[in-house]
Amino acid sequence: QVQLAESGGGLVQAGGSLRLSCAASGMIFSAYSMGWYRQAPGKQRELVATISRSGRPNYADSVKGRFTISRDNAKNTVYLQMNSLKAEDTAVYYCYTNIALVDYWGQGTQVTVSS
């Protein structure tokens, strides 16, 4: 059973940093791309960043140059380093993967940026 568990969210001032972690279990972690999505109140869930099996990252335009996605296959963990945070980054952040056409999501972690 695939499980994704996020951690690292919290309250931070604008301009600050946070690092999110997502620990995966029940899957061959190194075999799959991973991603981070976010959902702000009243808005649709949106893609933040993805990382391929080989470690190639891809970012939404809104976070390019500020966020960095990385993975540690030995720890079955994907990270999202968030710098220069803005109030508009406030959202619940979700870890995501797709295995055999099935979507898997974590429970989410709240990130709140105060201006």
Side-chain angles (χ1 to χ4, degrees):
Q1 179 179 349
V2 177
Q3 292 188 323
L4 303 174
E6 303 97 335
S7 60
L11 173 64
V12 63
Q13 288 189 331
S17 298
L18 282 175
R19 188 175 84 153
L20 306 183
S21 300
C22 171
S25 60
M27 61 181 285
I28 303 172
F29 181 78
S30 60
Y32 299 98
S33 296
M34 301 295 297
W36 286 97
Y37 282 71
R38 67 186 181 187
Q39 188 167 18
K43 295 188 176 181
Q44 289 189 331
R45 194 170 295 190
E46 64 175 2
L47 175 68
V48 175
T50 61
I51 187 165
S52 71
R53 294 178 297 172
S54 62
R56 182 176 60 202
N58 183 58
Y59 299 98
D61 288 343
S62 58
V63 306
K64 279 181 181 176
R66 300 189 299 121
F67 290 11
T68 302
I69 189 170
S70 62
R71 65 189 299 159
D72 185 337
N73 289 340
K75 295 183 178 181
N76 288 1
T77 300
V78 60
Y79 303 98
L80 186 68
Q81 177 67 44
M82 306 185 294
N83 299 328
S84 302
L85 282 160
K86 305 175 181 179
E88 51 263 44
D89 295 319
T90 295
V92 178
Y93 284 70
Y94 297 91
C95 184
Y96 165 84
T97 194
N98 181 284
I99 299 173
L101 302 180
V102 177
D103 293 333
Y104 294 93
W105 298 91
Q107 80 285 354
T109 186
Q110 176 70 47
V111 171
T112 303
V113 184
S114 63
S115 57

